[in-house]
Amino acid sequence: MPQVIDNPRELFAATEVWRGRGLRVGLVPTMGALHEGHMSLVAAVRAAGARPVVVSIFVNPLQFGKNEDLAKYPRTFAEDLARCDNHGVEVVYAPAPDAMYPVGFQSHVEVERVTAPFEGEARPTHFRGVTTVVTKLFNATGPCIAAFGRKDYQQWRTLDRMVRDLDMPVEMLGCPIARDEDGLAMSSRNRYLTASERTRAPAIFLGLRAASRAFARGERDRGELERLALAPIRAAFDVIDYAAVADADELTDPGPIAPEASVLLVAAWIGKTRLIDNCRLGSECL
Ligand code: PAF
């Protein structure tokens, strides 16, 4: 079983010993409800030379808005620990909320422009919560390498920006989206789907694939690419927050759309569940 640590000082003391031995500590930040997508992040940090690997499990209240799913977010610690054990994770860092945010807590980390559109519009305080908690996880762990999934694409661009802007000495890995066989991106929130919603949910991937294939055939009209993506999603989902092409790095208006330079981002509701997904045009979802 992994060693379980629940406070930042103990974690830093442990990782300091490993760093002193010349080991490259790896970190995979998570909110638990682990699935094989998370385990692909563990494999990625290991393949990049990390040892030991720390998986943090912390449902971060700071990144949930008032009417979001903090209370019902799945908490499956015993299963998560077993999964980490099966994948050879050496340390699980699982702080309690008051160890993370003790009384009097009032400091935050903010990244500006890249957090403004898309998720930033739908969830105005979300990224400030993410960048603050990831900074705290980095400070407690002192990792050489950290891995994040590109399913949360804007989160990935935001954290990458934060590390560069603030000179954080962490090698950042942005890992490919892990998908079920029918294309649905793996997500802890997939557990909320009813059986009938689960059968409709892959439409989000079908939309991304239709646009990405059209792009590969030479389509460069942004409106047409967005229309192609929207058609299957509209048929299966109840509300679409956005389906839009953006610059793959800064998430701004893409200008001329070029391979690897543009990403198609989607957020949509199926019943009470909000799913997000994306693909880099012309190289993914083909
Ligand atoms: O992607 C997530 O699970 C969370 O946003 C993260 C990065 C662990 C921060 O709480």
Side-chain angles (χ1 to χ4, degrees):
M1 276 290 172
Q3 179 182 357
V4 178
I5 298 181
D6 67 3
N7 74 79
R9 277 171 307 282
E10 198 188 319
L11 179 63
F12 194 80
T15 57
E16 188 70 345
V17 172
W18 296 316
R19 278 187 298 276
R21 289 187 198 142
L23 296 175
R24 304 189 75 215
V25 176
L27 174 66
V28 177
T30 82
M31 298 207 298
L34 300 180
H35 49 67
E36 287 308 302
H38 294 112
M39 295 302 121
S40 71
L41 305 182
V42 170
V45 283
R46 224 188 265 299
R51 207 170 119 336
V53 175
V54 178
V55 170
S56 65
I57 298 181
F58 178 66
V59 182
N60 174 31
L62 220 55
Q63 70 188 74
F64 288 77
K66 273 205 187 77
N67 299 317
E68 294 183 11
D69 55 346
L70 174 62
K72 73 164 189 176
Y73 196 84
R75 288 159 171 89
T76 57
F77 190 69
E79 283 168 40
D80 291 349
L81 211 53
R83 200 181 278 272
C84 286
D85 189 33
N86 286 339
H87 288 79
V89 170
E90 287 88 349
V91 179
V92 166
Y93 176 46
D98 56 359
M100 204 53 131
Y101 302 119
V103 174
F105 181 88
Q106 53 186 293
S107 305
H108 298 90
V109 177
E110 281 197 66
V111 175
E112 293 175 355
R113 290 186 301 280
V114 72
T115 61
F118 304 114
E119 292 305 286
E121 269 173 27
R123 309 177 69 192
T125 57
H126 173 66
F127 285 119
R128 174 174 121 132
V130 171
T131 43
T132 300
V133 80
V134 170
T135 300
K136 287 174 67 70
L137 293 169
F138 282 180
N139 286 341
T141 311
C144 291
I145 311 173
F148 297 87
R150 290 203 304 259
K151 184 182 79 66
D152 297 297
Y153 191 86
Q154 192 172 7
Q155 167 175 284
W156 156 241
R157 295 314 315 141
T158 298
L159 292 170
D160 192 53
R161 182 83 254 168
M162 174 185 86
V163 162
R164 283 185 285 150
D165 286 354
L166 301 182
D167 305 316
M168 295 179 171
V170 182
E171 180 185 333
M172 295 287 277
L173 303 179
C175 300
I177 298 174
R179 297 184 181 280
D180 286 341
E181 270 181 18
D182 56 9
L184 180 65
M186 290 186 191
S187 164
S188 305
R189 289 190 167 94
N190 292 352
R191 293 166 192 246
Y192 299 156
L193 300 172
T194 64
S196 102
E197 288 165 354
R198 176 63 189 80
T199 58
R200 282 151 53 204
I204 208 163
F205 173 73
L206 298 181
L208 292 171
R209 191 173 65 181
S212 195
R213 287 182 173 175
F215 183 90
R217 289 193 301 271
E219 180 60 72
R220 293 292 181 272
D221 181 77
R222 178 180 169 185
E224 181 56 19
L225 291 165
E226 290 170 357
R227 264 191 300 282
L228 284 165
L230 276 167
I233 302 172
R234 266 212 191 98
F237 278 70
D238 301 306
V239 177
I240 296 169
D241 280 354
Y242 55 80
V245 179
D247 175 84
D249 196 26
E250 297 291 329
L251 301 192
T252 46
D253 198 309
I257 301 182
E260 285 303 311
S262 304
V263 62
L264 175 56
L265 301 155
V266 176
W269 291 85
I270 190 159
K272 292 188 177 142
T273 305
R274 186 173 185 272
L275 298 180
I276 60 172
D277 202 342
N278 68 83
C279 77
R280 294 241 187 97
L281 286 172
S283 61
E284 294 175 342
C285 303
L286 290 168

